[in-house]
Amino acid sequence: MTKYVYTFGNGQAEGGAEMKNLLGGKGANLAEMNLIGVPVPPGFTITTEVCTVFNEKGRFDAFEMISKDVKKAVADIEELTGTKFGSKDNPCLVSVRSGARASMPGMMDTILNLGLNDLAVEGIAKQSGNERFAWDSYRRFVQMYGDVVLGLKPHSKEDIDPFEEIIESMKEELGIKEDTEFTVADLKILVLRFKHAVLKKTRKDFPSDPWEQLWGAIGAVFESWMNDRAIYYRKLNNIPVEWGTAVNVQAMVFGNMGNNSATGVAFTRDASTGEDIFNGEYLINAQGEDVVAGIRTPQEITLEGSHRWAALQNVSEEVRAAKYPSLEESMPDAYAELMKIQQKLENHYHDMQDIEFTIQNGKLWLLQTRNGKRTGAAMVKMAIDMLEEKFIDEKTALLRVEPNRLDELLHPVFATEALQSAKVIAKGLPASPGAATGQIVFFADEAGKYENSILVRIETSPEDLEGMVIARGILTARGGMTSHAAVVARGMGKCCVSGAGAMRIDYKTRTCEASGKKYKEGDWISLNGSTGEVYEGKVKTQEAALSSDFAKLMELSDKYTRMKVRTNADTPKDAAIARQFGAKGIGLCRTEHMFFEGERIKAMREMILSSDIKGRKLALAKLLPYQRSDFEGIFEAMAGYGVTVRLLDPPLHEFVPHQQATQKELAAEMGISIDQIRQKVSELEEFNPMLGHRGCRLGITYPEITEMQARAIIEAAMNLKAKGVDARPEIMVPLIGTVAEYTNQAAIINATAEKVFAERGDRIDYLVGTMIEVPRAALTAEGIAKEAQFFSFGTNDLTQMTMGFSRDDAGKFLPAYLEKGILKQDPFQVLDRHGVGQLVQMAVTKGRSTRPDIKLGICGEHGGEPSSIEFCDMVGLDYVSCSPFRVPIARLAAAQANLKKQ
Amino acid sequence: MTKYVYTFGNGQAEGGAEMKNLLGGKGANLAEMNLIGVPVPPGFTITTEVCTVFNEKGRFDAFEMISKDVKKAVADIEELTGTKFGSKDNPCLVSVRSGARASMPGMMDTILNLGLNDLAVEGIAKQSGNERFAWDSYRRFVQMYGDVVLGLKPHSKEDIDPFEEIIESMKEELGIKEDTEFTVADLKILVLRFKHAVLKKTRKDFPSDPWEQLWGAIGAVFESWMNDRAIYYRKLNNIPVEWGTAVNVQAMVFGNMGNNSATGVAFTRDASTGEDIFNGEYLINAQGEDVVAGIRTPQEITLEGSHRWAALQNVSEEVRAAKYPSLEESMPDAYAELMKIQQKLENHYHDMQDIEFTIQNGKLWLLQTRNGKRTGAAMVKMAIDMLEEKFIDEKTALLRVEPNRLDELLHPVFATEALQSAKVIAKGLPASPGAATGQIVFFADEAGKYENSILVRIETSPEDLEGMVIARGILTARGGMTSHAAVVARGMGKCCVSGAGAMRIDYKTRTCEASGKKYKEGDWISLNGSTGEVYEGKVKTQEAALSSDFAKLMELSDKYTRMKVRTNADTPKDAAIARQFGAKGIGLCRTEHMFFEGERIKAMREMILSSDIKGRKLALAKLLPYQRSDFEGIFEAMAGYGVTVRLLDPPLHEFVPHQQATQKELAAEMGISIDQIRQKVSELEEFNPMLGHRGCRLGITYPEITEMQARAIIEAAMNLKAKGVDARPEIMVPLIGTVAEYTNQAAIINATAEKVFAERGDRIDYLVGTMIEVPRAALTAEGIAKEAQFFSFGTNDLTQMTMGFSRDDAGKFLPAYLEKGILKQDPFQVLDRHGVGQLVQMAVTKGRSTRPDIKLGICGEHGGEPSSIEFCDMVGLDYVSCSPFRVPIARLAAAQANLKKQ
């Protein structure tokens, strides 16, 4: 028969740490602590399986299943604590808490002090010798139970809690301000009024039978698994509804029984820096919630910590020792035991623990232990420290760090204290991490107007590139995480907040409106690219410095990885940064960005606006030396590694001038009429440019472009060879859907290469391959692989076409999709394995079937996202490629993916 | 040992009609005619396999393989004809002709009179008693051989043929105008000068050895398989290069040996009407090419035909009999034999024959027979006639008609004679067949300005719908075969020419420029929707009338079909037309078109411009009665059959007003500022609307729209049920990519239906299903089919997304793709089986795996295209759906697809 209730107490437990799925994190660890001799108030855990029955078949079936066991388990608590449910002399009080497999802090409900009624309250008063404590506990219980179990808590934030209303009117009557000013008599009246409110609302008396209270509380905890907050949190964190929550019923211990009682929270190491320093906070004569609520100033647990705190807060040693003594000082015995226990727990779990404890009349009780949350920097330091301490092995150390959290180490950040006083004026998407402060400019070509500028645009386009390089940060009102602004910013490691939809930008008046206030050009604002928050004025930042632990982690990653990590880089500078971060080659070098600077854009526009092949060839000849020297720089920066150069990809419309002034200028330069320019610009307009005349379609209709680019690449590599530099070009044809498109372009590339070889009397090695980004290419990959030497999955476009989502427009419905749970994740951030991934898998299988040694990589944004990297490893890609600042993340994620498979 | 040379002659033949693949069409039929006792000049056929060797391994290998057999075969000709290669007395002259498996008229080369040299010409002169004939034949031979075999024919059309140059300068010298004025002496000089030109160009003497001539000619014919024209023609007609051409070498017979000789072309039935009337034309004392060249007026073969001709041409019986006698009159013996032979051939081939014959000195020779090309109307009539004559069986009759050719029967057409004098001013794509004449209007809302108007637009949008309904025809400068204008026009059976790119339209001045001339509003033009030609002024048309044969063919189709044919119809009128054409239900009823008329568009715009759900619901309530009554009309028109209604699909941007005047008007009506309207309109703008906020994404973000539409559908069906009409709604959710999108919308639909049922105390049956048009939906169809009761493949959008082609923009590169052979066919016209088809097949298999009885259909444009219909039958769809005017085509194509499988 399946076991649904697991008891623990007095050094015994039916469960254990390995039973997290069944008992939830809290329940499993309560059992485990018992087993290793840590003092824990006795209790029992109702399994998550019961939650599933509760939600699927209802309360009656679930409770029938467990009623006998629960009765038995309560009897155990009574026996161990020498108490009795509802007893007037020695009443048994319990807490009822949720506890899911994954931590869902604050999402579900908790009931404390359960078991109190008009008789039991007397028992507690007698036992504690503190009548006020007893009645305060009672009124808190009625309030909590009334809110949570009996449903008196209002659903909307605007409505007032009926209990709070009663308290407020009582205070008014009495002319007092603080809860603490209530007398015992006041508290007794409060309890009565609370019960009256319950009767009025529920048409039933407040339950005085502890058993009725208990079943009500258990039901409420199970129900809270399906409350809106919990559903939302699960969606955000990808927690399946099937997991369910466990319920923990545990004998109450009180940290607020007097000055010999206390309650606290501690970390076995520093969660912020990762240093091996035990630390935490406590309060004497207080309940757990008081520490968190911040009404009283919590005190440090260790003396060392207390001294540090005092220094920061400018508190004298005298005052500190008198008013804010450490636990080490105030309760040395309990402190000594806590020190032993925290070390024991860390040793036992082999990880930093986040623990909750209560001291009741001098006796230390542990209420919870769990692996502590920590900053990215702390993750790295702890993993490496513990490895060096031989506390954990290399694989464990690697798996201990969440790859995405490395991001925090790589970008400058706002100083924590500065953020506390910063005024948030808008919120967008955390498009590119980092912290930026500057003066508002609305036009890219004016980004240089101030030393520090923030480019504020409705959206950005490739024309804005130079300005984006100059600006400290980018803020857009439209566009998602993969909008132009976001992609480019991440590529540059530049702070960006995108899609701050509530902002109104008015280019004409050069103002923007946010949170009801107008900001004009030149006003200072600050962007938090890690949270999406926009602040008024300047906010102090601090630079990120990379630790030696970080370097060790990276080394370790490379030891365990199967896939290589390349970078997406368009300039020698980016290539160099990425190489510093450990990139082994370039997976995507976009050539279009090279056409935007100074003279180049003029030649590019000439090319586009030429009406015949002669004109185009003339303009392309001007572009050739620029391209060649760009490639020389990039190849040199990545010497010894492959550099995948993608041929021209975006629609030509992106290159032509759209503003009248620029059109006029260009017309004058080219000696044609502005009308001719306008005509051409309007001819280039497309209904759906994403599916239009771009990619290899350009090279097919204008073979001379492919020819020029192939020549620039081959000549650059040969120039470097002459200098003794090992350049390894890999030429990539974009947007292939049919093998015929590929063979057309490959023929031009190879013929051009042969021509250059003949001219120079020398040869070099190079590869020609293609992006797989059109669904049809994946579907017909066996044919394409016969011709192409490598595939690089362009999962940005592949996602757009496979799902039919324009990434620039998806902002209009993706938020609703995520909110309604239609999508679990933004598919532009996390690769959609079932749909898009199916095509990737298909292309890998089909591609290898005709060319077993085909080189396979990914160069979409997903190449820097850990879950997507795991998928790439699973399907057997040779490398992932991502923006320079994500290279470390990808290296770690690739290693983890490989380890997880084993 | 493989046989490479097949001889025929004198009632014997090594080949036969069944050997078309090996001998080509011409060769196989020449052999066959011999076998059935039809007089054919003796000769031999070199197989297509030799062509493949020739092209792959070269001339030497190919000729070595056949040289002995060719020598032997020539000896056979010599023996049968009593002639000798190069003989001065009795020279053997032959023709060398290509002949591929499929007819490729005029694409490859032909050499006549081969064997002539300075000696043989004397023999011919003697034999024929006509020295001028002999020398004219000789000079023609040198010219033809020089052009074709020796490569003197210029490659560019601008350059002049050197032989023509010589002829021209000779005429100038002599002061004559016509070739016929050359004397024998002149012709001799011409031959000399021709040979000189050859020597000058090739540095070699013109070959006088008939064997050298023969090998040269054989090589030239094989080479012509790879000439540009042939390659282009093969691409257009999907003829594989591997097929190769055969070479036919045959003893020459001359129709130009004097007045007892003649040459002609005849059809065993009327190729234009299909009537069982033998007809054709001939010329006395002429060569085959003279009949075609049209220098002399050809005469009718039968007396009856001759009389009809004379009546049409206003030629008196006196003149006719004297100058243009029929063959029946001029050569009654040859005519009698020809009559016997034509009947024999038709009886033998069981199909209308297109025959070529020559009468040499009174002796009739057949030079070719093949199944004759015919008009769509003729196809139908012949198939049904022959079936009723018990000449062919039902399956053969069905397979005899090309489905697409039925189109010609359904749309009004220009009168043939009117077209001869019409001035073509522009050419676009034949977007929707038919003939339209009217006065130019440039704005849809002015289409009613003239009784007959042609709407001329750069492109059309749904806003133009009313105007498109009113106009006689639509002409656009932009957009492809599946552009808005084209799709809507075909749906309405309205003539449309799209993408006439060379036209310049200026809305401001209300003029357009075509072929260098300006046309203004009100000017008359005519459109030929079957050819894409645009004519100046009025061109006379004739209405199409449907024959009883047509009805019989349709009946027969339904007897042999497996798939049903539905129609795409948005109005009761279209539904009724389609039902007349035999549609069994509606596969796609688009609801968006219903929102454009009069008051509706106002309510629609109110809905869109509302800032909250309350406003939207108010506006939707106004739309509900319109929708309901629309559906009532459509369901009634299709009573007894399923009607698939697609929920709102296009982006809302298409509905809002873009012109300032309309915006102003709307602002006034809604009591909001024009700025608010502009703001909303600009918010609705999208970068790639095709992949944007549309389809089910609208219903998910605005559930109230789905609710209103579901209510309108269900209420309409229930209203009809009350009237005793059998309405069968099938509600279709568009643009599904994930099953969660579907379940979201299906839940709303079902809940709404239940609500209506409860309100009315009655129920009806209805289905809910989805379109499969996003690649991801096909990839994950097993999950979607668990929920959806039917799939309808939206292959327009599926093609767009699978191939990454925006159909509205593809005009910029698709022509180049087709020209370069990168695509064999426009994938928006003919379903891309390998790519898009793979997804369709996948979705069928996956869908049936979880719901074996799922209803499967197609509603993209491909549903009316025969090759795509064949594919639909192969993968096992239950029905195809197409525009009303394509229903007959689809019915026939579906039957053929089913027959071809067997």
Side-chain angles (χ1 to χ4, degrees), chain B residues 4 21-22 46-63 65-66 101 218-219 221-223 225-226 234 240-247:
Chain B
Y4 295 115
N21 294 357
L22 197 62
I46 305 172
T47 69
T48 55
E49 286 175 354
V50 180
C51 182
T52 306
V53 174
F54 185 95
N55 284 316
E56 282 177 4
K57 301 201 180 162
R59 179 180 295 251
F60 184 81
D61 284 9
F63 286 179
M65 228 162 64
I66 54 171
R101 206 191 287 194
I218 293 171
V221 171
F222 280 146
E223 269 170 1
W225 179 249
M226 297 306 288
R234 280 200 298 275
V241 64
E242 299 80 26
W243 282 7
T245 182
V247 176

Side-chain angles (χ1 to χ4, degrees), chain B residues 105 110 145 205 208 239 248 418 420 437-438 516 544 605 666 792 808 895:
Chain B
T110 293
Y145 197 93
D205 275 329
S208 59
I239 300 173
N248 298 291
Q420 276 162 2
T437 289
R605 286 171 174 168
L666 187 67
S792 176
D808 288 322

Side-chain angles (χ1 to χ4, degrees), chain A residues 581-894:
Chain A
F581 282 141
K584 293 199 162 39
I586 292 181
L588 177 62
C589 172
R590 287 171 285 246
T591 54
E592 50 270 23
H593 293 170
M594 303 176 181
F595 291 123
F596 279 102
E597 279 167 43
E599 287 302 309
R600 301 163 174 217
I601 186 67
K602 283 188 195 164
M604 186 68 185
R605 286 170 174 169
E606 260 181 64
M607 195 275 291
I608 296 169
L609 299 172
S610 294
S611 51
D612 58 6
I613 187 168
K614 227 162 81 185
R616 281 197 297 277
K617 283 200 166 173
L618 224 72
L620 285 165
K622 291 187 202 169
L623 287 168
L624 176 66
Y626 293 124
Q627 284 251 299
R628 188 174 48 220
S629 88
D630 284 336
F631 291 135
E632 281 176 22
I634 291 168
F635 290 157
E636 190 155 12
M638 264 306 161
Y641 292 124
V643 174
T644 308
V645 180
R646 179 177 71 183
L647 300 182
L648 191 67
D649 182 60
L652 299 182
H653 191 247
E654 290 192 10
F655 296 95
V656 294
H658 298 115
Q659 274 134 14
Q660 188 162 3
T662 334
Q663 287 179 345
K664 226 174 192 170
E665 202 181 306
L666 187 68
E669 260 168 42
M670 288 187 63
I672 56 177
S673 77
I674 188 162
D675 276 345
Q676 278 172 292
I677 298 216
R678 269 201 215 117
Q679 170 79 19
K680 190 80 189 181
V681 169
S682 100
E683 273 172 30
L684 286 173
E685 255 171 49
E686 290 183 301
F687 296 101
N688 297 288
M690 154 73 202
L691 306 177
H693 195 187
R694 53 172 285 241
C696 69
R697 298 162 198 174
L698 294 171
I700 287 169
T701 45
Y702 305 117
E704 55 277 10
I705 299 179
T706 304
E707 224 173 281
M708 182 280 279
Q709 292 204 292
R711 176 172 282 274
I713 294 165
I714 298 291
E715 286 186 351
M718 297 194 87
N719 287 351
L720 290 179
K721 187 186 176 190
K723 292 203 296 173
V725 179
D726 179 14
R728 301 188 182 177
E730 302 174 357
I731 304 175
M732 180 158 71
V733 184
L735 214 69
I736 289 295
T738 65
V739 65
E741 289 169 296
Y742 178 79
T743 47
N744 173 295
Q745 291 292 286
I748 296 173
I749 294 163
N750 289 327
T752 305
E754 289 302 328
K755 224 185 265 175
V756 178
F757 295 162
E759 284 164 17
R760 304 210 171 187
D762 194 7
R763 306 184 68 84
I764 53 154
D765 289 331
Y766 66 99
L767 298 179
V768 188
T770 181
M771 272 182 106
I772 301 289
E773 53 188 331
V774 173
R776 196 183 187 284
L779 290 162
T780 61
E782 73 283 4
I784 298 171
K786 273 191 205 156
E787 307 293 330
Q789 294 175 291
F790 63 86
F791 283 174
S792 176
F793 290 95
T795 47
N796 294 350
D797 280 3
L798 191 59
T799 299
Q800 296 198 78
M801 291 182 226
T802 304
M803 309 196 72
F805 290 168
S806 159
R807 67 182 187 188
D808 288 322
D809 303 309
K812 288 188 181 152
F813 52 89
L814 263 193
Y817 269 45
L818 292 167
E819 198 184 305
K820 295 183 188 217
I822 288 172
L823 289 176
K824 306 268 184 228
Q825 282 150 323
D826 180 342
F828 292 113
Q829 288 180 48
V830 179
L831 187 84
D832 158 48
R833 294 188 186 191
H834 190 30
V836 179
Q838 195 179 146
L839 282 177
V840 172
Q841 168 79 72
M842 197 182 285
V844 168
T845 308
K846 290 184 171 202
R848 286 226 171 95
S849 77
T850 54
R851 185 185 291 262
D853 66 341
I854 190 165
K855 193 181 221 174
L856 300 170
I858 180 176
C859 63
E861 290 280 306
H862 301 99
E865 191 280 321
S867 143
S868 312
I869 291 170
E870 188 185 12
F871 178 80
C872 293
D873 187 62
M874 277 164 46
V875 301
L877 299 196
D878 299 312
Y879 69 85
V880 299
S881 185
C882 57
S883 57
F885 283 90
R886 292 198 78 83
V887 167
I889 296 168
R891 284 166 75 191
L892 176 58

Side-chain angles (χ1 to χ4, degrees), chain A residues 459 478 504 679 682-694 696-697 699-703 735 737-738 740-741 744 774-780 782 800-810 812-813 816-817 820-823 832-836 838-839 842 846, chain B residues 459 478 504 679 682-694 696-697 699-703 735 737-738 740-741 744 774-780 782 800-810 812-813 816-817 820-823 832-836 838-839 842 846:
Chain A
E459 74 243 8
R478 272 164 73 173
R504 294 259 161 276
Q679 170 79 19
S682 100
E683 273 172 30
L684 286 173
E685 255 171 49
E686 290 183 301
F687 296 101
N688 297 288
M690 154 73 202
L691 306 177
H693 195 187
R694 53 172 285 241
C696 69
R697 298 162 198 174
I700 287 169
T701 45
Y702 305 117
L735 214 69
T738 65
E741 289 169 296
N744 173 295
V774 173
R776 196 183 187 284
L779 290 162
T780 61
E782 73 283 4
Q800 296 198 78
M801 291 182 226
T802 304
M803 309 196 72
F805 290 168
S806 159
R807 67 182 187 188
D808 288 322
D809 303 309
K812 288 188 181 152
F813 52 89
Y817 269 45
K820 295 183 188 217
I822 288 172
L823 289 176
D832 158 48
R833 294 188 186 191
H834 190 30
V836 179
Q838 195 179 146
L839 282 177
M842 197 182 285
K846 290 184 171 202
Chain B
E459 74 245 7
R478 273 165 72 172
R504 293 261 161 276
Q679 170 79 17
S682 102
E683 272 173 32
L684 287 172
E685 255 169 48
E686 291 184 301
F687 297 101
N688 298 288
M690 154 73 202
L691 305 176
H693 195 187
R694 54 172 284 240
C696 69
R697 298 162 197 174
I700 287 168
T701 46
Y702 305 118
L735 213 71
T738 66
E741 290 169 296
N744 173 295
V774 173
R776 197 183 185 284
L779 290 163
T780 62
E782 73 284 4
Q800 294 198 77
M801 292 183 227
T802 305
M803 309 197 73
F805 290 168
S806 158
R807 67 183 187 187
D808 288 322
D809 303 308
K812 287 188 180 148
F813 52 87
Y817 269 45
K820 293 182 189 218
I822 288 172
L823 289 175
D832 159 46
R833 295 188 185 192
H834 190 29
V836 179
Q838 196 179 144
L839 282 177
M842 198 182 285
K846 289 184 172 203

Side-chain angles (χ1 to χ4, degrees), chain A residues 283-305:
Chain A
L283 277 175
I284 290 175
N285 195 13
Q287 272 199 318
E289 54 192 40
D290 300 334
V291 184
V292 184
I295 301 168
R296 285 164 60 190
T297 307
Q299 297 155 235
E300 290 290 320
I301 290 178
T302 65
L303 181 55
E304 191 194 338

Side-chain angles (χ1 to χ4, degrees), chain B residues 84-104:
Chain B
K84 198 80 195 159
F85 243 10
S87 154
K88 194 181 149 183
D89 299 321
N90 229 356
C92 173
L93 300 194
V94 296
S95 63
V96 181
R97 289 187 173 94
S98 65
R101 206 191 287 194
S103 166
M104 290 170 63

